[in-house]
Amino acid sequence: MKSCLIITDVQNDFLPGGALAVADGDLIVPVINKISPEFDRVVATQDWHPPGHVSFASTHGSNLYEVITVNGLKQVMWPDHCVAGTSGADFHKDLDLRHADLIIRKGAHRTIDSYSTFLENDKKTGTGLEYYLKGLGITDVFLCGLATDYCVYYSALDAKNMGFNVSVVIDACKGVDVPRGNVAKCLEIMKEREIRIVKSDHLL
Ligand code: VGL
Ligand code: ZN
């Protein structure tokens, strides 16, 4: 077995005080720092949107958290967040990235969102991460970060479909829970797909 930890979107805009803050999102930072030396490889991701991105309510004049259809895809209307190069898109200042081998940015195309760090929301356009990991002989992918019910969830499903053994380190994740109940629903679906839900102290 060869393992990789994927640290998902631990960025200022998803943390308390940020544009799309996940409640208690900062509490996972020390947990991630503690586990990250335990893996063969570590990848960190950044949500990295251009101004006027398709996922921003402001782009369409829509209400926040409304779901609209754009180019045939359902799209949640988020507040403007993680605009490329802004402080909101920076990693949390205490996130220890000394073990990170690769930083991958996603959602950078104006007309398509990318929750998953493997495939954009059209489920076709790859980010290259699948082949990076397969090229290194990684068999087991562990996911942590933000948000449990969006980027972690869609990344976990894609990783499983791509043939990796997949675990979500549940105490190293926090969800946005939009709409309410979404985190619980996503956890159920992940368990059905044989994605393991593990605790950080089982990895140490
Ligand atoms: C995310 C909503 C919008 C995430 C990204 O990182 O889970 N959620 N963009
Ligand atoms: Zn986003």
Side-chain angles (χ1 to χ4, degrees), residues 1-202:
M1 104 100 154
K2 211 169 167 194
S3 64
C4 180
L5 178 68
I6 300 177
I7 304 172
T8 307
D9 296 0
V10 183
Q11 293 167 269
N12 293 328
D13 270 343
F14 294 126
L15 294 160
L20 209 177
V22 176
D24 294 333
D26 50 335
L27 301 184
I28 67 175
V29 172
V31 184
I32 296 171
N33 290 345
K34 197 174 59 181
I35 62 176
S36 54
E38 303 295 322
F39 300 85
D40 296 309
R41 293 275 167 164
V42 175
V43 173
T45 76
Q46 278 175 303
D47 211 33
W48 195 257
H49 299 313
H53 189 248
V54 66
S55 74
F56 297 170
S58 64
T59 301
H60 310 274
S62 302
N63 297 320
L64 286 181
Y65 308 113
E66 186 185 345
V67 179
I68 69 167
T69 302
V70 194
N71 304 326
L73 295 177
K74 287 227 155 57
Q75 178 66 58
V76 181
M77 294 288 91
W78 302 108
D80 292 20
H81 64 279
C82 297
V83 174
T86 64
S87 56
D90 287 344
F91 292 111
H92 185 283
K93 63 174 180 21
D94 297 332
L95 183 68
D96 180 353
L97 290 171
R98 277 177 297 173
H99 300 281
D101 301 288
L102 174 73
I103 292 170
I104 189 151
R105 292 170 169 168
K106 61 182 177 60
H109 301 131
R110 195 177 52 80
T111 56
I112 186 162
D113 205 2
S114 188
Y115 294 139
S116 163
T117 182
F118 291 95
L119 292 177
E120 300 193 29
N121 287 8
D122 62 1
K123 308 281 184 213
K124 289 199 291 270
T125 312
T127 62
L129 184 59
E130 176 183 6
Y131 302 103
Y132 174 83
L133 297 177
K134 287 184 176 170
L136 292 169
I138 299 293
T139 53
D140 289 56
V141 166
F142 294 78
L143 291 146
C144 64
L146 306 168
T148 317
D149 46 337
Y150 283 91
C151 290
V152 171
Y153 171 71
Y154 286 100
S155 299
L157 294 186
D158 283 347
K160 186 76 191 177
N161 286 336
M162 290 167 176
F164 297 103
N165 300 318
V166 183
S167 302
V168 170
V169 188
I170 194 65
D171 55 322
C173 296
K174 288 278 181 213
V176 279
D177 213 32
V178 172
R180 192 185 292 197
N182 202 38
V183 171
K185 189 186 103 185
C186 291
L187 285 174
E188 273 319 302
I189 295 171
M190 289 194 285
K191 285 181 202 157
E192 279 166 21
R193 304 272 175 94
E194 293 177 358
I195 291 163
R196 295 191 308 152
I197 309 298
V198 301
K199 292 225 174 104
S200 62
D201 50 9
H202 291 162

